[in-house]
Amino acid sequence: MAARKRASSMSISNKPDPVEPNSAPSEQKMTRKTVSASGEEFRLAPPKLGVIFVISTLLCSLYLYLLCFHYKVDNELKRSILINAGLSLVGFFVTLKMIPVAARYVLRRNMFGFDINKRGTPQGDIKVPESLGIVVGIVFLIVAIIFQYFNFTEDSNWLVEYNAALASICFMILLGFVDDVLDVPWRVKLVLPSFATLPLLMAYAGHTTIVIPKPLVAYIGLEVLDLGRIYKLYMGLLAVFCTNSINIHAGLNGLEIGQTVVIAAAILIHNVMQIGASVDPEYHQAHAFSIFLTQPLMATSLAMLAYNWYPSSVFVGDTYTVFAGMTMAVVGILGHFSETLLIFFLPQVLNFLLSLPQLAGIVKCPRHRLPRYDPATGLLTGTKDGTLVNVYLRLFGPKSEKSLCIHLLVFQALACAFCFILRHFLAGWYK
């Protein structure tokens, strides 16, 4: 969630603003100050392509091996997936090129912040362009729309749901950017995804049934239960959770995008494994549908990560976090693997549970719930606030921001690996 401290257009005030009553637990590491800023004076640091190469190699190698060599995927389906991957790669380079351009424009509109976790150092005084997630969202939508030309026909059964998914994602990008500009109260942010999911919920024509776990069949007397409209309510709540959980598990350079690309890689691997293990064409199409949206998300996010990795040159803003959360919720819903998706989100679930007392107002909630930075040592120290970032620091001691981010992303990857192990051992017994 974006945290901004405003000042007049004629001056810069170093005096912190008073905390608003019932203000949000803010994770985005920036404060906005409305001052005169010249885009021409700004020079964006070059993208960290070496870091992106290492991360993309680690995350994508297994997925590409499973798709191209391990499983016998239908040639037509594989062709569509590879075309989508090619368009996503183009999206990566377009995003990489557009970020410096967009950064100059947002600076002209005085949309910049200062990195709170570097306060007291020269880096803490640098104006960092914010809300650059809008670039990722726009390029993602363009790639996804162009892909329709190569894969869907006018009478395709999936075309309506595909466009409904894009409408929901587009709606969420708009609402996220509005939040970045207007600084919407956090309680309003909680319900915004509910409105963004309406196009998807209205167009959804899939099943509304759930498979009862085998150990419970004897007690319930049913193997399959039709939830009807309750299932659509569940879909809406899942979207609300995914969108806000990415938004509040943040506050470090690279953490918002890093967790997104790790989960996206896990989603891709899960989908190709399900395609390879099944012979049902409809089942194949559902998981391919998920791949078609996840590959552009991952490619454009990696391009943004090249600028957002420590030390960050740009801030992504709420525009990116709500966009990424909505996209992953959509692919989980239409790919019919929402249970698996929630296990991929295990760190986010844990962070939400830790945050619940402050979110509910039971415990005092400050405007910023970030770790405490010590300029003398360059390390972050955990505070008493209920976030996974602070709890991790309290358990394992002070760490540098870059080291802490890497640790949390490794934890995210381990949570995804745990999900695959759990599915393996429960296969045939649980469902």
Side-chain angles (χ1 to χ4, degrees), residues 1-32:
M1 297 181 181
R4 303 175 181 92
K5 295 180 181 176
R6 302 181 183 277
S8 69
S9 59
M10 301 300 293
S11 63
I12 302 176
S13 173
N14 293 321
K15 183 178 180 179
D17 291 353
V19 177
E20 299 177 4
N22 301 320
S23 60
S26 172
E27 323 309 331
Q28 183 70 26
K29 306 182 315 169
M30 57 187 171
T31 59
R32 174 181 296 176

Side-chain angles (χ1 to χ4, degrees), residues 18-79:
V19 177
E20 299 177 4
N22 301 320
S23 60
S26 172
E27 323 309 331
Q28 183 70 26
K29 306 182 315 169
M30 57 187 171
T31 59
R32 174 181 296 176
K33 302 194 177 180
T34 310
V35 298
S36 175
S38 172
E40 287 74 14
E41 297 173 359
F42 174 71
R43 293 292 182 272
L44 198 66
K48 305 167 186 69
L49 295 179
V51 174
I52 300 308
F53 176 78
V54 173
I55 293 175
S56 58
T57 300
L58 291 173
L59 295 179
C60 298
S61 298
L62 179 57
Y63 164 66
L64 293 175
Y65 168 74
L66 293 175
L67 174 65
C68 299
F69 303 105
H70 187 74
Y71 292 113
K72 293 182 179 180
V73 180
D74 177 73
N75 288 333
E76 188 65 25
L77 185 59
K78 184 185 291 186
R79 173 181 169 275

Side-chain angles (χ1 to χ4, degrees), residues 74-375:
D74 177 73
N75 288 333
E76 188 65 25
L77 185 59
K78 184 185 291 186
R79 173 181 169 275
S80 296
I81 293 174
L82 292 177
I83 289 174
N84 182 269
L87 290 173
S88 300
L89 185 61
V90 173
F92 170 85
F93 289 108
V94 172
T95 305
L96 208 61
K97 189 70 175 177
M98 289 303 299
I99 288 173
V101 177
R104 294 187 183 94
Y105 276 97
V106 298
L107 279 178
R108 289 173 189 169
R109 303 305 301 170
N110 296 325
M111 295 178 64
F112 64 88
F114 297 97
D115 201 326
I116 296 175
N117 282 343
K118 298 178 181 66
R119 183 180 292 167
T121 69
Q123 284 184 321
D125 296 326
I126 297 175
K127 300 171 185 176
V128 183
E130 60 176 294
S131 306
L132 268 296
I134 190 69
V135 178
V136 179
I138 291 173
V139 176
F140 168 87
L141 288 174
I142 293 173
V143 170
I145 292 170
I146 292 175
F147 175 67
Q148 294 186 55
Y149 175 80
F150 298 95
N151 189 69
F152 296 107
T153 59
E154 292 181 359
D155 59 346
S156 174
N157 295 330
W158 285 92
L159 187 57
V160 173
E161 290 190 356
Y162 187 83
N163 284 325
L166 293 184
S168 291
I169 294 169
C170 183
F171 199 171
M172 202 66 250
I173 293 171
L174 171 63
L175 294 175
F177 192 69
V178 167
D179 176 35
D180 280 335
V181 174
L182 302 181
D183 204 10
V184 177
W186 74 273
R187 287 183 175 83
V188 177
K189 297 178 190 179
L190 292 178
V191 298
L192 289 181
S194 304
F195 299 110
T197 56
L198 288 177
L200 178 63
L201 297 180
M202 296 302 102
Y204 182 76
H207 67 76
T208 56
T209 59
I210 60 171
V211 179
I212 303 299
K214 290 181 179 179
L216 302 178
V217 171
Y219 300 97
I220 298 177
L222 295 171
E223 292 185 357
V224 178
L225 177 63
D226 188 356
L227 296 178
R229 294 181 180 179
I230 297 177
Y231 188 84
K232 288 194 174 184
L233 175 62
Y234 162 72
M235 290 165 55
L237 293 175
L238 178 66
V240 171
F241 169 76
C242 291
T243 303
N244 286 288
S245 64
I246 295 291
N247 202 17
I248 65 174
H249 183 41
L252 305 174
N253 288 171
L255 181 57
E256 298 96 323
I257 306 179
Q259 62 186 299
T260 298
V261 297
V262 171
I263 297 173
I267 290 173
L268 291 174
I269 293 170
H270 170 72
N271 283 317
V272 76
M273 289 175 66
Q274 296 306 303
I275 291 173
S278 174
V279 294
D280 183 1
E282 190 70 15
Y283 193 71
H284 285 179
Q285 190 60 43
H287 285 283
F289 183 99
S290 175
I291 291 175
F292 296 154
L293 292 178
T294 306
Q295 286 185 153
L297 170 66
M298 188 168 185
T300 53
S301 295
L302 284 170
M304 177 61 78
L305 187 59
Y307 290 97
N308 187 243
W309 188 255
Y310 181 91
S312 178
S313 303
V314 299
F315 289 139
V316 296
D318 287 353
T319 307
Y320 177 83
T321 57
V322 297
F323 150 71
M326 177 59 74
T327 304
M328 290 189 283
V330 165
V331 301
I333 290 168
L334 296 181
H336 306 300
F337 58 93
S338 56
E339 291 179 351
T340 300
L341 181 67
L342 284 175
I343 303 178
F344 288 156
F345 271 75
L346 190 59
Q348 287 72 25
V349 173
L350 179 58
N351 185 65
F352 171 73
L353 294 176
L354 291 170
S355 301
L356 201 54
Q358 289 183 316
L359 292 174
I362 299 173
V363 178
K364 184 180 178 181
C365 181
R367 184 165 180 78
H368 297 285
R369 301 196 303 164
L370 298 171
R372 185 179 298 107
Y373 177 71
D374 184 357

